[in-house]
Amino acid sequence: MRIDADQLCVDYNGTVALYDASLHLPAGCICGLVGMNGAGKSTLFKALTGFVRPSRGLIRINGRSVKEAQREQAVAYVPQSEGIDCQFPVSVWDVVMMGRYGAMNFLRIPRGSDRVAVRHALERVELLELRNRPIGTLSGGQRKRAFLARAIAQRADVLLLDEPFNGVDVRTEKLMAQLFIQFREEGRTILISTHDLSHVRDFCDSVVLINKTVLAYGETSEVFTPENLAMTFGGFPPNLLTGPSSSGDSVAVSYTHLRAHETE
């Protein structure tokens, strides 16, 4: 399912969060969304999910309006973190079932098809054995997988993921990367907001560089260049180019690595 945005503008009480942002992402791609904090990444996600209404511009998701895409449960958002009351006795199964709410009637009584979808989603993220565990007792990586399972149960064609690899263990990181590749093969479009440039380099087909507007977008090999990153970040602050991986090792994005993409 493709995503099209043309001259998108969003402001909050007169403060411009995003202006004249345009991008066109094909179906069946993994796209990295890269920019500094406050650059407009979250605003773009909110516009794509209908949480904020643009002051100007147009969004189409597979040719449909955001409202129509919402009605069809076509877009799923997986936040960076969710406030979980560890004392609240909601199970992993119940959290994932929330992804089916849009397909239920107002009484939200699960049907057989809803239970099948939840079970399948939990199997894909390898959490089926923990389905009756209270969500608050899971590790950070397990919670991330549970929220991803909720999006899978929704059966959305567009997945918006906010820092999905942040704070997860190595097993979860590898599993999620494998799932994203599977989603791409299924024809879904995955938009990943991330500060870890190594993930963009390693498995994103395309990249969107953003700083209050879309500065550049397209295939990673063409867009992910030192010049474009300098334009996005205003230079190369060390904390943006080097960060700890989940295994504790240092991950660095060097000019040499970035230059290699230009010749691939």
Side-chain angles (χ1 to χ4, degrees), residues 23 31-42 44-45 161 163 191-201 204 206-217 220 223-225 228-233 236 240-241 253 258:
L23 59 87
C31 180
L33 180 61
V34 176
M36 297 184 294
N37 288 333
K41 301 188 298 296
S42 295
L44 178 60
F45 275 177
L161 308 168
E163 297 287 348
L191 187 56
I192 300 173
S193 173
T194 180
H195 284 94
D196 191 334
L197 303 187
S198 66
H199 285 129
V200 177
R201 185 187 66 234
C204 287
S206 58
V207 62
V208 175
L209 302 179
I210 188 170
N211 192 349
K212 300 297 184 181
T213 189
V214 174
L215 301 173
Y217 74 91
T220 303
V223 174
F224 202 61
T225 65
N228 282 342
L229 288 172
M231 179 172 59
T232 304
F233 293 109
F236 287 110
L240 287 172
L241 293 182
V253 179
L258 296 175

Side-chain angles (χ1 to χ4, degrees), residues 90-164:
V90 58
S91 69
V92 172
W93 179 274
D94 291 335
V95 168
V96 179
M97 184 62 77
M98 292 176 187
R100 301 297 304 159
Y101 281 0
M104 298 179 188
N105 60 29
F106 70 97
L107 294 176
R108 291 182 175 173
I109 299 174
R111 299 162 298 179
S113 58
D114 298 317
R115 288 187 285 272
V116 168
V118 170
R119 185 180 184 87
H120 173 70
L122 285 168
E123 287 175 342
R124 293 194 74 172
V125 301
E126 299 181 2
L127 282 181
L128 185 60
E129 293 183 357
L130 302 181
R131 60 188 179 277
N132 296 320
R133 184 84 63 85
I135 188 72
T137 65
L138 299 189
S139 67
Q142 290 170 336
R143 288 185 196 178
K144 289 259 188 177
R145 283 189 272 154
F147 298 136
L148 179 59
R150 183 179 61 187
I152 295 172
Q154 184 178 321
R155 294 179 175 169
D157 292 314
V158 174
L159 299 177
L160 308 178
L161 308 168
D162 190 0
E163 297 287 348

